[in-house]
Amino acid sequence: VNVSLRSYALCIQASIMAKKKGNSSNSNSKKKNKNKIKNKNKRSKNEEEASSSRNGKNTGWNFVSEAGPGCYIARREEGTSHNSNTTPDWLIEWEDIDPEEFEHDEEVPDIAVDTEEGTLSICNVDACFKVAYVTVYDTQLVGAHGKPLTPGTSTDNHGNTESCITFIVLCPPCVFVHLCYLDIPLEQDVTSLRIESDVSPWHQHPNPSDEHPFRIGFPLGAMPAESNTNTNNSN
């Protein structure tokens, strides 16, 4: 789903974030954000070592980061806090919210950009888990650890290749997931950001530990390994 109504969503999220931190504005917010990003780089060596155990490589989620450059996966284990060791070091935080803080007729966008803090967030005010796929094109993103997130590329049907970063997030009920910082040039209008997203209720696989009982040959259509072995032995 292309966030073509992002300007509308940005207006809505401004009022939402104001409720969380007080309604304030500053014309130098982008400069403040750049200072925050720089300050993230001043983390001590001990802090870096403590957070290194929280990256995606150590979570055992059956995903090798080198195999999918530009893809960042996050989920909060049931019963853990926002600063759990299962939280990736690039993610800012999981923020538990009270749906009662919002008006019943108030529409909360699935994706929000806080123009003051310069953050990108997923918003879930419902009582169900949601799975979100969020792709940001041609924009420098910075993680909570103060380091730029490594982008990947996307190529369309016409052969045009673009730089992008995709977040795949399992968001618990009544949680705002603050993903990263947007390093936007001072002269760039935040509404010019190109963001695509797909957010929907999550339905767990009926048997998450299910395994395929047969071997599959690669390339597809090739003989299974046992058949190849038998053929070689017969020769």
Side-chain angles (χ1 to χ4, degrees):
V1 179
N2 193 320
V3 189
S4 58
L5 298 179
R6 56 183 174 273
S7 297
Y8 171 67
L10 289 171
C11 292
I12 293 177
Q13 67 84 27
S15 64
I16 293 173
M17 297 303 181
K19 292 183 179 181
K20 307 302 295 181
K21 62 187 177 182
N23 188 9
S24 62
S25 61
N26 192 318
S27 60
N28 295 321
S29 59
K30 288 184 179 179
K31 292 182 180 179
K32 290 169 60 181
N33 178 48
K34 287 187 177 294
N35 289 334
K36 290 179 181 179
I37 292 174
K38 290 180 180 178
N39 289 336
K40 294 293 180 179
N41 287 310
K42 297 180 180 178
R43 290 162 55 112
S44 68
K45 180 179 180 180
N46 289 338
E47 289 175 316
E48 289 291 342
E49 291 176 351
S51 66
S52 64
S53 64
R54 300 190 287 127
N55 59 33
K57 295 180 181 178
N58 297 333
T59 54
W61 294 344
N62 299 323
F63 177 74
V64 179
S65 58
E66 289 83 356
C71 291
Y72 292 83
I73 300 176
R75 69 184 185 195
R76 188 171 78 173
E77 299 293 343
E78 186 175 359
T80 60
S81 63
H82 70 281
N83 59 352
S84 165
N85 285 337
T86 61
T87 298
D89 62 349
W90 53 263
L91 188 145
I92 298 174
E93 70 168 330
W94 307 89
E95 180 186 3
D96 296 292
I97 58 98
D98 182 0
E100 297 299 324
E101 295 181 3
F102 308 103
E103 302 294 336
H104 293 293
D105 58 347
E106 185 174 4
E107 184 178 355
V108 179
D110 293 325
I111 309 299
V113 174
D114 188 326
T115 55
E116 214 175 296
E117 297 292 331
T119 55
L120 174 67
S121 304
I122 297 170
C123 306
N124 182 10
V125 296
D126 296 324
C128 66
F129 277 81
K130 289 187 177 181
V131 59
Y133 303 86
V134 183
T135 300
V136 184
Y137 293 89
D138 296 322
T139 302
Q140 179 66 72
L141 305 182
V142 178
H145 47 32
K147 302 175 184 177
L149 300 183
T150 303
T153 58
S154 174
T155 303
D156 63 22
N157 294 333
H158 302 288
N160 301 314
T161 299
E162 299 177 277
S163 172
C164 65
I165 288 177
T166 296
F167 299 98
I168 305 172
V169 181
L170 181 61
C171 183
C174 303
V175 167
F176 284 1
V177 190
H178 303 298
L179 298 172
C180 62
Y181 297 97
L182 299 157
D183 192 2
I184 306 173
L186 294 176
E187 64 276 7
Q188 181 178 341
D189 186 349
V190 70
T191 59
S192 67
L193 290 172
R194 184 183 169 200
I195 302 175
E196 293 182 357
S197 67
D198 184 1
V199 182
S200 59
W202 175 62
H203 301 286
Q204 186 177 22
H205 190 284
N207 184 9
S209 61
D210 187 22
E211 296 182 358
H212 198 289
F214 305 106
R215 294 187 179 183
I216 300 176
F218 288 95
L220 295 178
M223 291 189 299
E226 292 86 354
S227 297
N228 289 335
T229 300
N230 294 334
T231 300
N232 293 333
N233 290 338
S234 65
N235 291 335

